[in-house]
Amino acid sequence: MGPVRLALLAVVALAAAGEAVYIPYNTSAGVAAGKLNVHVVPHTHDDVGWLKTVDQYYVGSNNSIQGACVQNVLDSLIPALLKDENRKFIYVEQAFFQRWWRNQNDMIKDTVKGLISSGRLELINGGMCMHDEATVHYIDMIDQTTLGHKFIKEEFGQVPRIGWQIDPFGHSAVQAYLLGAEVGFDAFYFFRIDYQDRDTRKGTKELEVVWRGSKSFGSSADIFAGIFPKNYEPPPGDFYFEVDDDSPVVQDDPLLFDYNVEERVNDFVAAALAQANITRTNHIMFTMGTDFKYQYAESWFRNMDKLIHYVNKDGRINALYSTPSIYTDAKYAANEQWPLKTNDFFPYADNPNAYWTGYFTSRPALKRYVRMMSGYYLAARQLEFFKGKSKSGPTTDYLGDALALAQHHDAVTGTEKQHVANDYAKRLSIGYTRCLLLNVTFCPPSEMDFSKGKGLVVLVYNSLGWKREDILRVPVFSDSIVVHDSEGREVESQLLPIASASLNIRDKHVKAYLGTSPGAKPKFWLAFPVSVPPLGFNTYFVSSTKKSASVSSKSTIYSSQGSEDSNLQVGQGNLKLQYNAAGALSLYSDSKTLIEANFEQKYKYYIGQDGNGSDPQASGAYIFRPNGTVPVKTDSQVPLTVLRGPIVDEVHQQINSWIYQITRVYKGKDYVETEFIVGPVPTDDGNGKEVATEIVTNMVTNKTFYTDSSGRDFIKRIRDYRSEWKIEVHQPIAGNYYPVNLGIYVEDGNKELSVLVDRSVGGSSIKDGQIELMLHRRLLHDDGRGVAEALDETVCLNNQCEGLIIEGKYYLKIDPQGEGARWRRTFGQEIYSPLLLAFSEQDGGNWANSHIPKFSAMDPTYSLPDNVALLTLQELEDGSVLLRFAHLYEAGEHKDLSALASVDLKRVFPDKKIGKIIETSLSANQERAAMEKKRLKWKVQGPEADEKVVRGGPVDPAKLVVELGPMEIRTFIVSFERSISGEQLL
Amino acid sequence: MGPVRLALLAVVALAAAGEAVYIPYNTSAGVAAGKLNVHVVPHTHDDVGWLKTVDQYYVGSNNSIQGACVQNVLDSLIPALLKDENRKFIYVEQAFFQRWWRNQNDMIKDTVKGLISSGRLELINGGMCMHDEATVHYIDMIDQTTLGHKFIKEEFGQVPRIGWQIDPFGHSAVQAYLLGAEVGFDAFYFFRIDYQDRDTRKGTKELEVVWRGSKSFGSSADIFAGIFPKNYEPPPGDFYFEVDDDSPVVQDDPLLFDYNVEERVNDFVAAALAQANITRTNHIMFTMGTDFKYQYAESWFRNMDKLIHYVNKDGRINALYSTPSIYTDAKYAANEQWPLKTNDFFPYADNPNAYWTGYFTSRPALKRYVRMMSGYYLAARQLEFFKGKSKSGPTTDYLGDALALAQHHDAVTGTEKQHVANDYAKRLSIGYTRCLLLNVTFCPPSEMDFSKGKGLVVLVYNSLGWKREDILRVPVFSDSIVVHDSEGREVESQLLPIASASLNIRDKHVKAYLGTSPGAKPKFWLAFPVSVPPLGFNTYFVSSTKKSASVSSKSTIYSSQGSEDSNLQVGQGNLKLQYNAAGALSLYSDSKTLIEANFEQKYKYYIGQDGNGSDPQASGAYIFRPNGTVPVKTDSQVPLTVLRGPIVDEVHQQINSWIYQITRVYKGKDYVETEFIVGPVPTDDGNGKEVATEIVTNMVTNKTFYTDSSGRDFIKRIRDYRSEWKIEVHQPIAGNYYPVNLGIYVEDGNKELSVLVDRSVGGSSIKDGQIELMLHRRLLHDDGRGVAEALDETVCLNNQCEGLIIEGKYYLKIDPQGEGARWRRTFGQEIYSPLLLAFSEQDGGNWANSHIPKFSAMDPTYSLPDNVALLTLQELEDGSVLLRFAHLYEAGEHKDLSALASVDLKRVFPDKKIGKIIETSLSANQERAAMEKKRLKWKVQGPEADEKVVRGGPVDPAKLVVELGPMEIRTFIVSFERSISGEQLL
């Protein structure tokens, strides 16, 4: 029976026999002086939507896509934490935590409150989601963080201390200083930085730094920034303990085979020593967890208990259950001087050919929808405040929640699966619908038949703190229209035939989404100028007329083959654009500023690398990897059409079969507005395409351009260069792309060329004098970062699907050097907060008799300073008001407007008496003074900077004047002595 | 912005807004009269080894093979059960439960005791494993069940009520009546029966039956048998709720999307109605779980809570948390008459070409090792009892545990992965080694050099209750040997040259497993007769001698080319075998019984279906699917060698290059012993092979043959026929294979041809007059039942691997009709319990002076009746003794020996006084009388049977005589008034 001897001879040394007993693991270690301290930080990373929707992740449905259930994480966490008082856990995403919380009974709630108050469960970061930092506007960052922090404060009395942006794909300066320091965070942890940067930092032990993200704030907004050495997962060496993970569990039962305590202790110590080797101080952090882990928390804690117990018994190092707060305090206690980091961490590449710069533009329709809703949410909360927040009816809360989710780093980024993108849009749409109900009871289309004596009432709301002049456009049927203002005066107006490209989109999408075709097509856009007071509205009346005198002007129409007219000029005011014989823009001139610039504007596309062949990296939702550039050639046979009139001149160009463009110059405006309709991007040649527009001038720009950081500060970019480390350039295009939320500009010492955007896009200056924006991406391959879908958005009608069409605008201006900031800041704010329209029908009678036609919430003689915006005016549940003002200029950005600004609250709220005003942290969860007092002050290597930071002083409760220094955002909780009713207004 | 409208228009009806609150689910339902009751039975099925070893499954290591961790199941179960007092769970495999239990602290233990005593956690089946029923000997079944039940009784005071053999691959009659009814079970649940049988039963609602497994016991050993309609998993309709399972979770939070309560309730009701449609009474069972599920128990209970809550709110049916006990009681309370089932459920097929009859033979070396250890364990416990069980030193416990594990339905079955098979063997080897230490202090090889005056002492132990005459064989170097018995008398002996085939195996395996070559090769087998008293030993002395008179006889050697001698005869006693001119067996004759039979014995192999092509079913570890039969042709050039001597005649045949055979006829014995050495089975032709031997006679057997049920009852088999349902024959060979643990026989009215085996094998009578046994299987493809390895056992030496060689024996006898049973039963018991040898060295001196040379534990004038075996004699921790006797004959099996038998305990234990004797259930966990009183009596359809069941009466404590009726096994706990010391014995 030879073979059976195998067994006999393979016998391993067995521990002595006898009954095994319960082993009480000693997990009580704290920080140990003189030893390497391994901070074991148990965590889960729960995307609020990515491969599945947020709700699917929460309840654990749709597991065929991804096995993930956040309810399991939180349910299983509680008994696991109760099992050993030394165990700790951090939880981050409040969208999930709140879903879970509201399903718990009081017993569990009490237990959890105990765990939180004792620090065993710590809520960090604390926003509704872990927002993206490239494609998210800072106002959205603030809002979603405030929402999460508010819940944590109200429910648990806690104030998160730590930023935990472990997954976003690159990191913005605004995140560091504004959503970090200004929120009161002591530290900020993440891992996704350029692989070359990381390698450099490992060598110099500069993965942990003090990040000074704001030039205006200098050291007053420093934050400790910890970059993880590899990722946010457990260290190398197989320490994954999820149910079904295949890391070796710690097997310490001597009665069972495969006892492995020594091996596992050695593995742990080796991982610790390796990490210590690239880290300053004797503290390192092991991030024990990853995406959607701790579905059964005990399986992690069981193994971590054993590791801590046996590692400390071994004695070479000290392992302890910890949190980022404890870790941060330990770092601080080390009293070290840290390397300084300025600027930001964009763009992010994880491989030589893998620049995560595609997502700056991915899903441009979703990005636009988010931005629209963001501006709308700001305005809607103002209206809600004026009206008085409803206790039972519709509120802005749903929209606030929906918007918060949409800021997630797999939401507005466009890096989610299609069905998840649909889910975000659905939530926004529900939120928007609810807000519509909030303030509009009747909303007929403007496409009404005015022949029956009816008139259209257009209520125009301005959420900015300044009086605003703008041009409205509404579609109409009639060609004889007259517009009156709220005082009965006729307003000059212009009719522009609606482009068939626009009508086609209208027809197709109404059919695709409503299932029915729209009725008769409107024929014209009616354009007319409006003037709206700050924080207020005005009313305009549109009706048909027979009188020829006052009728709106029809645009003159001029169609030109490129060759017919060699010098076509448009523009009724100071600004003129000139088109050359080929029908292409050739000259920009402004008679007021005397700017004149040679100028080209064109389209091109990059062919998306398909990832076939030996190098598998494709261009995809995350990654931009061009494989050749193709200029879009305009068919010179297609005429260029010019519409002219008293309000606006429009140049319509069918660039090619799938790009249509309208360039507008408004009489009273000194910028160019370009509307583009791009798509369906053809892919029948088998190539994915990434469509960009570029503006080419002969400006000498020295490789330098500027892009905004999360819509706020502008950061200097130099092509093929990083200011703090030496880059080896593998991707000369993708590696020079940056996120653009507000705008991008170049300058040559004489003038500045600025382009502002209507949503988040990727942009660059690939050549001197040039600016480009990527407008649309349609790709046929997945780029291997997990989403497992090609970014190939389609719209289906009768089971026929075609590529998504993107419609959008960008705005362009050339200013004398030093003057660009004013337009970028002021007009940028107007783009963010467009006029809000509500429609009603006037059927005889006089609207003005029964309604207030014009209103400003502020003192009629007051408006906010040009350099200040009202970011938040929001009624809270307790009747108090959240108020947030922002200075719009950086220190030194503009010779006049970078000065200290003042807001007179008494004139902002002329009808109310402020009883109490408390200045808070940015996220409104603690008093500002207390925050400043307790926030850690980190030491920086090198000489102290010579800083002149200007910030506003305390608000005198008698004077009620709020001062704001450059870039300052100040947040207040205001209580009014008497509340108002907004009934009369709306 | 057309596309973003998608969202708006896709808005689903949302439940009314507002804060969701904790929903207290009502899970309190019990059985409801007048409604369909769905018994929701949460369970996990945890193989104690299969793809991973038992310890790997327990701790959750090696998860790359299979994500499974039983520790998670049990850890997570406790908080889940505590969360709602209505939740219930059953746990089955005590090998796992005990591993877990000994790691728990007192608090958890107390909690679990509470859960068990309140019935929320029920331990059912209760053996260490869920043993196989085809390849497991009934003595092993009893031992492993007793071991598990003992723990449950001692630790929790519980007695399992329910058999739960949900996974074994077919079901044996012995399981039903012996390990079911005789253990005290009220019901027995399983699912693997032939698919045709199942289909029939669904139509007639006969999936739930009363199974009468014993002809001898009749209705007194009836048991309710519930066959699951499909498998042991949740019903059709997606009700799998493991972490990461993709069944739709019940989403009942109206604030989240995808609310699906109605759909899920409808799914549940539909599944219930479908099952009710094939089930009698208004009770059905949903088996909520499957292999290694409940890793995080809460994820199942959370969904089951909701289903029960909402289904009962719906009201069409009644769903309740239940257990098989509650279900069984409900079935019983229905007072129904149930269809009767007799015989067994072999063979099992789950598809027309998928007969699970391969595993009857798979891993024949492991199967033999298990059987050897099983017999050894029986004897070792006797010795341990005589010696007094050690408190600290080695005990038989480890071997008992190892053997218990080996009975698992993926252990001895051979259906586990290779590394797991190694693990079982390793455990047996450790257990065996420990037992060796128990009773042997010195064990020199018998291959000693007798020239130095040393002698070999051979102690021969007989664990049977009868005096035994047998032939011993030990390898020796010398050719002049003399053997003396314990009284100094010379014993006739014979030297047989050791076949080179045997020596080759020896050399190869010693090298492969020890890493070194064995020393000098022994030249001879020394054969000599021994006589050993019942439950006792005798001692023999082997030494070298110069005296020619008493020296052992060398065998005469005769080599024959088949053609030289046309009528070769062997056999020194009554039995003669005759070989024909081709060197093949041709005649069997017994001069005592006057039996004479034409006779052929040969080899063949089946080509294993490879599963390529359109029909993917391969032959594999589980499934026997032959693709052609190839006779093994003997090379007629290879001589047949005959060794003759006073003790035994041997015929050696090299059948082909990889089959060697030795046929033996002992002078004093009237059966044929055949030793086969098969392998390495060649596969260089790309074919897997399944090697069988067949005995062909001209007996007229009418398609009928008999095989044992788990080594106990013989069951009549008819080729291509099932007694209780109509079979459609797709696999005329595989579909007629049955498990053979003890033997197989055919009869023709005049005589019986019986073959007994040394391990579990598959066997059949494929043609009239024929018997075949499958001896070895080497296959190249996996058969798709999960093990995911081809059954291709190899042995590796210097990194060269070749197919495993199998050595074994079978025994054959032809008896006059009606007399076969005596040999099958008595000699069958001797095969199971071979004489146990211990060796010592005699170096001068007289052994007998310092040792007792001969001993019987029983009264020297007593032996057990011929029809009774002592199954268990085992000292328990408290000093009491577990005693088990078995009647070896079925009712009517033998004209004399099927009678009531009596055992006189006073003579079995002559030196001891029995203080107390309690008869218990078979697994010794309850008093027999109490068990009989409480066991449910099920009603059977049709007229009452006219039964004459003979069972022994109660044991009179004064007389202490145990009566046993046919097939009766009686179990006792005996306490002796004084304990004995066995020191003097060993």
Side-chain angles (χ1 to χ4, degrees), chain B residues 460-462 466-469 530-534 536-538 540 835 854-855:
Chain B
V460 188
Y461 181 72
N462 170 24
W466 320 302
K467 178 182 173 197
R468 186 151 164 197
E469 314 282 351
V530 296
S531 172
V532 194
F537 61 79
N538 201 347
Y540 290 84
L835 290 172
K854 189 171 178 185
F855 163 81

Side-chain angles (χ1 to χ4, degrees), chain A residues 618-688:
Chain A
S619 210
Y622 301 87
I623 286 165
F624 173 29
R625 187 180 180 194
N627 183 19
T629 311
V630 180
V632 172
K633 294 220 178 89
T634 308
D635 184 349
S636 55
Q637 299 309 305
V638 178
L640 172 154
T641 302
V642 182
L643 311 181
R644 296 182 211 261
I647 309 294
V648 62
D649 283 3
E650 287 189 353
V651 179
H652 288 239
Q653 290 168 284
Q654 185 79 45
I655 303 292
N656 68 3
S657 64
W658 47 273
I659 303 179
Y660 190 87
Q661 175 177 291
I662 307 170
T663 307
R664 296 191 179 97
V665 182
Y666 295 95
K667 189 168 76 179
K669 305 286 182 186
D670 51 4
Y671 58 83
V672 181
E673 171 184 307
T674 303
E675 179 174 355
F676 52 86
I677 301 175
V678 175
V681 177
T683 54
D684 41 7
D685 60 358
N687 288 329

Side-chain angles (χ1 to χ4, degrees), chain A residues 765-818:
Chain A
S765 172
I766 292 297
K767 291 178 294 197
D768 271 10
Q770 184 253 27
I771 282 176
E772 70 176 62
L773 299 176
M774 187 174 292
L775 303 178
H776 196 1
R777 312 180 76 219
R778 188 179 186 195
L779 295 166
L780 305 178
H781 300 274
D782 178 66
D783 54 3
R785 293 304 183 280
V787 70
E789 273 184 10
L791 182 71
D792 182 10
E793 295 178 284
T794 58
V795 174
C796 303
L797 179 55
N798 301 330
N799 294 322
Q800 295 276 47
C801 300
E802 58 174 32
L804 178 65
I805 299 168
I806 293 298
E807 196 176 6
K809 289 176 186 156
Y810 63 89
Y811 309 88
L812 179 149
K813 190 167 189 295
I814 305 180
D815 284 293
Q817 181 77 38

Side-chain angles (χ1 to χ4, degrees), chain A residues 148-162:
Chain A
H149 283 193
K150 182 167 178 283
F151 171 84
I152 294 170
K153 177 73 177 185
E154 288 174 359
E155 204 71 41
F156 307 110
Q158 296 290 318
V159 174
R161 288 184 54 200
I162 302 293

Side-chain angles (χ1 to χ4, degrees), chain A residues 377-396:
Chain A
Y377 178 56
L378 188 158
R381 279 176 294 170
Q382 295 175 354
L383 295 167
E384 188 174 46
F385 165 69
F386 299 142
K387 192 173 186 294
K389 189 165 183 172
S390 168
K391 299 287 179 212
S392 59
T395 69
T396 56

Side-chain angles (χ1 to χ4, degrees), chain A residues 31 35-44 88-90 92 122 124 161-166 186-191 207-208 224-236 239 268 271-289 304 317-332 338 938:
Chain A
V31 165
K35 275 197 175 176
L36 174 62
N37 289 279
V38 180
H39 292 252
V40 173
V41 175
H43 79 108
T44 180
K88 294 182 175 56
F89 198 76
I90 52 173
V92 175
E122 185 174 336
I124 70 170
R161 288 184 54 200
I162 302 293
W164 189 257
Q165 291 282 117
I166 60 176
D186 287 317
F188 165 38
Y189 295 94
F190 52 92
F191 99 86
L207 284 171
E208 293 180 323
F224 181 80
I227 303 157
F228 301 145
K230 182 156 183 246
N231 53 31
Y232 53 75
E233 306 198 354
F239 296 100
F268 190 95
L273 296 178
Q275 189 167 333
N277 208 31
I278 54 169
T279 309
R280 299 183 188 209
T281 81
N282 64 343
H283 295 277
I284 61 171
M285 190 197 297
F286 278 3
T287 46
M288 298 301 289
M304 290 186 293
I317 61 175
N318 180 59
L320 62 148
Y321 275 124
S322 185
T323 65
S325 298
I326 295 170
Y327 179 76
T328 301
D329 288 341
K331 285 284 177 185
Y332 189 75
W338 299 95
W938 297 88

